[in-house]
Each structure stands twice: as structure tokens, then as C-alpha cells.
Amino acid sequence: RDGGHMGALLNFVGSVLFVLNTMAMFWPASTSQAWHVSTGVVGSLLFTASAIGAGEHNDWRHLATPRGRCARLFQPAVALSYANFAGSVLFVVGYVVDWHAVTGT
């Protein structure tokens, strides 16, 4: 049940990397693209791990409750955990595509 604390810590570190990511546009062009993509990938992976930690803290794998089969899915904390996970995975996919465009592989 300590996933919430770890999720908050990972979210904070991911946020710091996100700030570095957005500030990379003001750095010299030789380092800007590599820093932009690498901080984006690592930050997004930390956001994904944070969403998993928050989901575990909110017991997102046990959707059945006495009130109904998927009643827990509609609780705000669980729905937010799923949304954070989906969004962070999409960010990882976006940065992986960007990484291939930067490196030419």
C-alpha cells in the first residue's frame, strides 16, 4: 500500500524532467534535440511508473465491489489512475517515435 508515496515521488522527479524538457528549446541547437528527447523519455517512463504506483495504492486491479461488478472503475481516484497511465504510455510512444526521428534509426 506504499505505492501512493512512491508514485508521488516518481511523479515529482518526472515533473522536474518535464520542466527540463520544455526548457531545452532555449538551449544551443547542438544539445537541444538530444536533451529534449532523452528527458522526455525518462520523464514519461517515470510518469508511467507513478501511475502504476498510484493505481496500486487505489487498488485498481480489484474492480468488483459489493455494489457492482465494475463500480470501483468509476471512483474518481481509480479512474484518474487509469487515465494517468494511458496518457503517460502515449507520451512514451510519442517520444520513442521522436527519438527515431532524431537519431535516424
Side-chain angles (χ1 to χ4, degrees):
R1 306 276 338 182
D2 291 331
H5 293 94
M6 186 56 68
L9 177 64
L10 292 174
N11 199 13
F12 172 75
V13 175
S15 297
V16 170
L17 289 173
F18 179 75
V19 169
L20 289 174
N21 177 286
T22 56
M23 295 305 295
M25 73 176 97
F26 299 111
W27 296 347
S30 61
T31 59
S32 178
Q33 226 14 38
W35 267 98
H36 170 72
V37 175
S38 61
T39 55
V41 168
V42 174
S44 296
L45 288 172
L46 289 175
F47 285 145
T48 304
S50 171
I52 292 170
E56 288 300 310
H57 176 74
N58 294 317
D59 210 19
W60 67 350
R61 287 190 282 169
H62 301 103
L63 296 179
T65 66
R67 291 184 295 151
R69 182 158 246 174
C70 290
R72 188 179 303 269
L73 180 63
F74 298 105
Q75 292 178 349
V78 175
L80 186 61
S81 296
Y82 277 113
N84 284 340
F85 179 75
S88 60
V89 167
L90 289 174
F91 268 106
V92 170
V93 169
Y95 279 114
V96 166
V97 170
D98 197 24
W99 179 260
H100 286 297
V102 170
T103 61
T105 57

